[in-house]
Amino acid sequence: MISKTSNRALKPHLVVIGNGMVGHHFIEQLIAQGGQDLYQITVLGEEPHLAYDRVHLSEYFSGKGAADLAMTDGTLYDENGIRYFTSSQVTEIHREAKTLTLETGESLPYDKLVLATGSYPFVPPIAGHQRDNTFVYRTLEDLDAIRACAQHATRGTVVGGGLLGLEAANALKQLGLETSVVEFAPRLMPVQLDESGGEVLKVMIEKLGVSVYANTVTQEIIDGDGAYHRMNFADGSHLETDLILFSAGIRPQDALAKQSGLTVGERGGIAINNHCQTSDDSVYAIGECALWNNRIFGLVAPGYTMAKTAAGHLLGDASLSFTGADMSTKLKLLGCDVGSIGDAHGQSQGCKVFVYQDEMSQSYRKMVVSEDGKKLLGAVLVGDNSYYDTLLQYFLNAIDLPDQAQSLILPAMGDAPVGLGVDALPATASICSCHNVSKQDIGDAVCKGALSVGDVKGVTKAATGCGGCAALLKKVVDNELLSLGVEVSTDLCEHFAYTRQDLYNLIKVEEIKSFKALLAKHGKGHGCDICKPAVGSILASVWNDYVLKKEHISLQDTNDRFLANMQKDGTYSIVPRIPGGEITPEKLIVLGEVAQQYKLYTKVTGGQRIDLFGATLSQLPAIWKQLIDAGFETGQAYGKSLRTVKSCVGSTWCRYGVNDSMTMAIDLENRYKGLRSPHKIKFAVSGCTRECAEAQSKDIGVIATEGGWNLYVCGNGGMKPRHGDLFATDLDDATLVKYIDRVLMFYTKTADRLQRTSVWMEGLEGGLDYLKSVVIEDKLGMCAELEAQMQIVVDTFQCEWKTTLEDDEALKTFRQFVNSEGEDTNVVFVEERNQVRPATDLEKQQLIAKVG
């Protein structure tokens, strides 16, 4: 029941219809500007919940509850005298009388009215679209209904391959369903991506196990034969599925506006001016229900700008205006990076286009530039969004592009220009578009005492919306602090006021052998998940001590603690070392026998090893005893250490080989297999320039030449692939090994925690040339020390699994349960392609039901 009593004689009554993200932000803006002192404010929300975060709605299926997504618990409203009502639907607006009628029949007066009614999902008028087990993806109630249905389903299908459709597909995957996406347009995300970008995204998503039907029209939905539904397509094909989720776009929620005679667009949307006023100057509209200049803005950032504009105008500030918004987006959909900026389709007159596509790493990048090449007009990114922030700033601030503009989307190589530094950004540069926070706003916050990223977030709300600007925000905050002469902390963590390099030097110079001793002498507190593994890695790098020693074991993360990589179902992988990929038939037979005995999934990896998956914790010692007895060693796939040395067969077998790459690969792997480093390291050795071992994409790459060996350094695969740089040419065997010793030990000594060799080298002042001067010319006079330190690592190597099997105390670590000898019954496998794989949650439930 809504009370009709009010203080209208004292304060005009402001009513807000809608309490979504934009409606709530409007209230926050009013409060920030003292609006609660000028208006009696009432908020009417149609849903049973107060405002919650729809941007991260899919996280509801990955463990978050309604409370985690909530943007307010009502305290803010209560403290500022704002009345709010949930489950309150307005059915009519009477503009002449300035009253509202609610679904309950109650009437409520207003002096000013704000419509923040948002949008509703569009469901295509397909025959059968109202059948049971069909849903939309909009509210928490929708998600509850989808989850309930998924418990009794095997297959789910999303109709719509746009932003929301792919987010919905991710939700179905998280629920354990076989997932398909049906899209009417010829490609996924047709608004944001061009044809090539859409195709790359399609390939990536299909590799993740989601079937994509593009350019497909659904004609009808009827009963299925082997599933609840059968979707019949216009081309005569069909798809059977148990659950259908419609996510084919949104439509503005403008029914109240139409009923009350407000001006609406031909295709929907409440028409507004630059102050967000409708055709009735007492009524405002903001967010997805509003139509500005015949455009609907379906992102949260423009809605927030409208909210701020409307709040300012209601409080007498006519200087604020809404004049459109940038619709650039950066997202991670089904684990795939997607970014779209400005004119992504290259429709601007006279524009030119740069395109970079790498099918190996599944990345696609396009820049649309002005005819003279000076300005960025648009961009498309698929597979790697690390370029997004830089490109967006060039676009938003009309900054002149560098002479080699294409370098902005090419992988970093040699002396190629790097991204735009924060110093180059104007004060007006938008850092957080969700909350419209500029570089100047951040600078002002720092000047007023916000001396950390957390402080700046609290003052400006930057990076608290979608979170996509977090990395850029930190750079700007650090830059502003430095400009004021404030020292920017480079401490490893709160327990050590040192960098990783400092701790490395302290451990080595002072011969510190344990975390406890280091903490007592140079730290404080008890340590944390940052410093413990970092110090554990340094101790292993310097002293090459056994990682499961009593004084070290508490420092290790799960993988190092159990000397195996934990997989998604709680089981572990077995990865014996196979130097250079060379293995005898006898050892192959042993691997097959072990895999057969313990029913392990078996895979030959890209690094020329054989991985065995599915071992339980308690099985690890028994499996490794069989492997150690057969002559295998740990492959250290669990550690930040040397993983593999990939090789071709070289001159031993290949008619093109000019040197014995197999022997060199085996020698290098055996030499460096005990090195613990800041990040994992991979090698490759190719027997000729045909490069079958792909040496140039590794941290250390070696290629045979007629004159010896060419050495490449600091390349990597991963999320941001990088070719290695040519470091030295025509080296003999001894010089090659000497240079590798120096490079790796210099990296281990000076890199930050979890820093790859490529990032480390790019951070050195002088980059590749500086590294050459240190390693080849001995500029720092430390080459002899680096070689000696590496020799200690080589001489003290121990197979950690062999040591563990000889240590009864260490073996106690591998009991599945402290108080029982039993196995974990939650580990369930199903068969696929004649091998086992982890069962999904749904498959587990079905197996339990079958047994029951």
Side-chain angles (χ1 to χ4, degrees):
M1 176 72 70
I2 297 178
S3 171
K4 298 179 184 178
T5 60
S6 69
N7 297 321
R8 292 189 72 191
L10 300 176
K11 295 181 187 177
H13 191 193
L14 171 61
V15 177
V16 182
I17 303 178
N19 189 230
M21 295 179 73
V22 172
H24 176 67
H25 190 71
F26 172 78
I27 297 298
E28 290 182 317
Q29 292 297 313
L30 275 180
I31 292 172
Q33 300 174 55
Q36 70 275 26
D37 297 326
L38 300 178
Y39 289 98
Q40 176 199 351
I41 304 170
T42 300
V43 179
L44 303 173
E46 187 175 358
E47 291 190 53
H49 311 274
L50 284 173
Y52 55 88
D53 185 355
R54 289 191 203 276
V55 173
H56 297 100
L57 193 60
S58 60
E59 294 177 17
Y60 194 60
F61 287 141
S62 58
K64 286 195 174 182
D68 299 308
L69 295 173
M71 303 182 75
T72 179
D73 60 2
T75 302
L76 178 70
Y77 295 7
D78 291 333
E79 290 176 346
N80 291 279
I82 296 172
R83 300 192 307 163
Y84 58 92
F85 301 90
T86 57
S87 301
S88 296
Q89 184 173 359
V90 178
T91 56
E92 291 182 280
I93 301 173
H94 309 282
R95 290 197 291 121
E96 289 188 7
K98 287 194 172 181
T99 61
L100 308 173
T101 299
L102 278 68
E103 191 175 34
T104 59
E106 297 172 86
S107 180
L108 187 69
Y110 71 85
D111 294 293
K112 298 289 184 181
L113 181 64
V114 176
L115 301 177
T117 50
S119 61
Y120 63 91
F122 169 67
V123 177
I126 301 167
H129 73 272
Q130 294 179 320
R131 287 165 53 88
D132 289 343
N133 291 9
T134 61
F135 306 91
V136 294
Y137 188 81
R138 186 64 176 168
T139 68
L140 290 174
E141 285 67 38
D142 292 333
L143 270 61
D144 284 333
I146 293 167
R147 177 154 48 194
C149 180
Q151 292 177 356
H152 310 287
T154 302
R155 288 169 281 181
T157 300
V158 177
V159 176
L163 293 175
L164 295 176
L166 295 180
E167 185 177 333
N170 185 51
L172 296 188
K173 282 282 288 182
Q174 289 176 330
L175 290 170
L177 300 184
E178 295 178 22
T179 303
S180 301
V181 174
V182 177
E183 168 57 43
F184 170 80
R187 61 182 178 275
L188 296 173
M189 293 182 65
V191 175
Q192 292 82 13
L193 300 183
D194 61 6
E195 184 176 346
S196 298
E199 182 59 30
V200 172
L201 180 60
K202 177 177 181 286
V203 171
M204 293 174 68
I205 288 176
E206 286 182 330
K207 285 190 175 181
L208 293 171
V210 175
S211 301
V212 177
Y213 298 82
N215 204 20
T216 301
V217 179
T218 306
Q219 285 192 323
E220 63 175 353
I221 304 169
I222 60 176
D223 288 339
D225 294 325
Y228 193 85
H229 301 292
R230 171 176 165 142
M231 303 173 67
N232 288 330
F233 301 140
D235 63 2
S237 63
H238 69 272
L239 173 67
E240 296 224 338
T241 185
D242 299 308
L243 179 158
I244 297 176
L245 205 167
F246 292 102
S247 187
I250 58 172
R251 297 292 185 268
Q253 190 68 270
D254 55 11
L256 281 175
K258 291 177 180 175
Q259 170 272 317
S260 66
L262 292 171
T263 300
V264 297
E266 184 177 339
R267 301 181 63 183
I270 309 167
I272 60 170
N273 61 19
N274 289 4
H275 298 303
C276 298
Q277 290 173 298
T278 67
S279 53
D280 181 336
D281 59 13
S282 294
V283 182
Y284 294 73
I286 56 176
E288 293 174 333
C289 66
L291 179 76
W292 178 86
N293 199 24
N294 288 319
R295 290 186 65 192
I296 297 289
F297 296 87
L299 299 177
V300 70
Y304 281 1
T305 303
M306 291 182 193
K308 185 174 183 178
T309 299
H313 195 260
L314 279 162
L315 298 176
D317 183 0
S319 65
L320 294 174
S321 62
F322 179 81
T323 55
D326 172 50
M327 295 295 284
S328 300
T329 51
K330 177 174 69 170
L331 303 148
K332 186 177 286 290
L333 299 164
L334 285 161
C336 306
D337 280 350
V338 179
S340 177
I341 296 172
D343 179 14
H345 296 284
Q347 296 175 337
S348 302
Q349 185 173 358
C351 66
K352 307 296 183 185
V353 174
F354 295 113
V355 173
Y356 171 81
Q357 185 165 353
D358 183 348
E359 293 185 358
M360 292 294 292
S361 65
Q362 292 182 328
S363 58
Y364 172 81
R365 300 189 280 277
K366 180 174 87 170
M367 288 172 55
V368 181
V369 303
S370 58
E371 189 170 9
D372 60 5
K374 297 285 188 180
K375 303 294 182 184
L376 182 69
L377 304 179
V380 175
L381 302 170
V382 179
D384 182 0
N385 267 340
S386 61
Y387 301 78
Y388 181 88
D389 289 340
T390 294
L391 294 173
L392 183 65
Q393 293 304 326
Y394 273 106
F395 171 70
L396 291 179
N397 299 291
I399 298 171
D400 282 346
L401 293 167
D403 290 338
Q404 299 297 321
Q406 63 269 33
S407 66
L408 296 176
I409 59 172
L410 293 175
M413 294 183 185
D415 298 323
V418 296
L420 189 69
V422 293
D423 274 333
L425 298 179
T428 56
S430 174
I431 305 302
C432 174
S433 59
C434 288
H435 291 280
N436 197 26
V437 180
S438 68
K439 181 184 175 185
Q440 183 67 55
D441 295 331
I442 294 169
D444 291 344
V446 170
C447 287
K448 292 176 182 177
L451 301 183
S452 70
V453 171
D455 292 342
V456 171
K457 283 184 176 182
V459 172
T460 66
K461 292 199 171 183
T464 62
C466 71
C469 61
L472 181 59
L473 173 65
K474 185 180 187 317
K475 291 179 183 178
V476 175
V477 171
D478 287 351
N479 192 63
E480 293 293 333
L481 290 171
L482 289 171
S483 69
L484 293 176
V486 178
E487 183 178 358
V488 176
S489 174
T490 57
D491 295 354
L492 181 68
C493 68
E494 62 185 289
H495 304 104
F496 289 100
Y498 299 95
T499 64
R500 181 192 175 278
Q501 298 94 316
D502 294 334
L503 292 179
Y504 182 98
N505 291 329
L506 289 170
I507 287 169
K508 188 170 185 297
V509 172
E510 299 181 12
E511 297 190 0
I512 295 172
K513 299 295 179 69
S514 71
F515 179 80
K516 183 178 179 180
L518 181 68
L519 192 66
K521 195 167 185 180
H522 297 291
K524 60 182 181 180
H526 301 288
C528 64
D529 290 341
I530 293 175
C531 61
K532 285 182 177 180
V535 172
S537 174
I538 295 171
L539 290 169
S541 298
V542 175
W543 309 121
N544 214 16
D545 212 353
Y546 176 47
V547 295
L548 296 189
K549 253 188 176 180
K550 186 175 181 180
E551 57 264 40
H552 299 329
I553 193 168
S554 65
L555 309 181
Q556 313 304 333
D557 62 17
T558 299
N559 290 347
D560 265 315
R561 189 183 184 93
F562 300 126
L563 305 179
N565 281 336
M566 178 183 279
Q567 305 303 315
K568 62 185 287 187
D569 64 339
T571 61
Y572 294 83
S573 60
I574 309 292
V575 188
R577 187 171 296 285
I578 303 176
E582 183 180 84
I583 187 168
T584 64
E586 290 77 13
K587 284 188 174 182
L588 276 174
I589 290 169
V590 170
L591 291 177
E593 288 174 343
V594 168
Q596 193 172 53
Q597 179 180 345
Y598 290 94
K599 296 182 173 61
L600 304 178
Y601 171 83
T602 309
K603 185 182 188 303
V604 178
T605 73
Q608 298 177 333
R609 303 200 284 200
I610 296 175
D611 288 6
L612 311 174
F613 291 83
T616 62
L617 182 64
S618 60
Q619 290 173 339
L620 291 176
I623 293 172
W624 271 107
K625 185 176 189 315
Q626 288 181 242
L627 295 176
I628 296 293
D629 289 347
F632 286 103
E633 293 177 339
T634 174
Q636 288 190 316
Y638 47 82
K640 297 294 182 282
S641 55
L642 175 66
R643 294 296 175 86
T644 59
V645 180
K646 189 174 181 179
S647 176
C648 62
V649 294
S651 59
T652 307
W653 291 91
C654 179
R655 60 193 172 122
Y656 298 107
V658 296
N659 212 333
D660 187 359
S661 57
M662 274 306 311
T663 297
M664 179 56 73
I666 293 169
D667 289 348
L668 291 178
E669 185 155 353
N670 284 327
R671 180 171 181 80
Y672 301 111
K673 61 189 177 184
L675 177 65
R676 291 283 181 148
S677 49
H679 205 288
K680 64 184 177 185
I681 302 170
K682 295 183 179 181
F683 285 31
V685 183
S686 287
C688 71
T689 55
R690 293 169 70 89
E691 253 283 67
C692 292
E694 301 169 335
Q696 292 181 69
S697 64
K698 302 294 189 285
D699 298 274
I700 297 292
V702 179
I703 300 177
T705 68
E706 296 289 349
W709 304 99
N710 284 354
L711 173 61
Y712 291 79
V713 299
C714 302
N716 61 256
M719 293 179 65
K720 190 174 181 181
R722 183 191 191 280
H723 270 99
D725 290 315
L726 181 61
F727 189 76
T729 60
D730 296 333
L731 303 176
D732 58 43
D733 290 7
T735 305
L736 174 69
V737 171
K738 180 171 63 176
Y739 284 178
I740 295 174
D741 279 359
R742 296 173 181 179
V743 169
L744 289 182
M745 194 48 67
F746 188 48
Y747 161 65
T748 301
K749 179 182 176 68
T750 62
D752 290 333
R753 62 178 287 272
L754 303 180
Q755 188 176 45
R756 300 199 77 150
T757 56
S758 57
V759 180
W760 165 72
M761 188 185 73
E762 289 167 0
L764 297 174
E765 188 170 349
L768 178 66
D769 290 338
Y770 175 75
L771 186 58
K772 286 181 178 179
S773 70
V774 171
V775 170
I776 299 175
E777 301 166 17
D778 200 9
K779 178 179 180 178
L780 300 180
M782 64 188 304
C783 285
E785 178 190 343
L786 296 174
E787 291 174 32
Q789 184 63 39
M790 182 60 78
Q791 196 59 48
I792 291 174
V793 172
V794 174
D795 292 342
T796 57
F797 170 77
Q798 59 183 308
C799 171
E800 289 158 351
W801 262 112
K802 186 175 187 297
T803 303
T804 299
L805 292 171
E806 296 168 353
D807 187 335
D808 290 338
E809 193 64 32
L811 287 174
K812 292 179 181 178
T813 304
F814 297 91
R815 292 173 61 179
Q816 192 78 51
F817 302 105
V818 174
N819 60 349
S820 170
E821 297 297 332
E823 292 288 344
D824 187 354
T825 57
N826 288 316
V827 175
V828 180
F829 299 112
V830 295
E831 189 171 300
E832 184 174 88
R833 297 187 298 276
N834 299 317
Q835 292 210 76
V836 298
R837 67 162 172 81
T840 65
D841 289 341
L842 181 61
E843 286 169 336
K844 288 180 184 179
Q845 293 168 9
Q846 291 171 337
L847 287 170
I848 292 170
K850 187 175 181 180
V851 172

